[in-house]
Amino acid sequence: VLTLVPPKGRSAPALGEALERHGIYLSWRSAYLVRRNLIQICLMGDATEEGLRRVLSQVATEMP
C-alpha cells in the first residue's frame, strides 16, 4: 500500500475521480481517506511492472 498526499489545494476525491476517468482505480472513497485528504495505491494480485508504470505516470500527470 502506497499512501499519497495530493498537492496543496488539490482534493483526494477530485484526484481519484480524475484517475478513474483514465481507468485507474485507487482507494480514496472511504471516510478515513477523505477526511485526511489521502489516496492509496494498493497492489494486489498479478501486478505487472508495466501496469505500475502506467499508474505512476498518470498520477504524476494529475499531481503536478
Side-chain angles (χ1 to χ4, degrees), residues 3-64:
T3 302
L4 303 172
V5 179
K8 188 173 183 170
R10 294 285 312 265
S11 74
L15 179 58
E17 289 174 352
L19 291 167
E20 286 180 3
R21 287 193 292 276
H22 293 281
I24 298 171
Y25 298 89
L26 306 175
S27 299
W28 60 268
R29 293 178 185 265
S30 74
Y32 172 86
L33 294 173
V34 170
R35 194 169 40 253
R36 289 163 178 79
N37 198 40
L38 301 171
I39 61 171
Q40 291 183 326
I41 299 172
C42 303
L43 300 178
M44 297 164 35
D46 190 19
T48 64
E49 184 176 339
E50 179 183 331
L52 181 56
R53 287 183 188 278
R54 179 177 169 261
V55 169
L56 295 176
S57 174
Q58 195 61 48
V59 167
T61 298
E62 296 295 335
M63 290 179 54

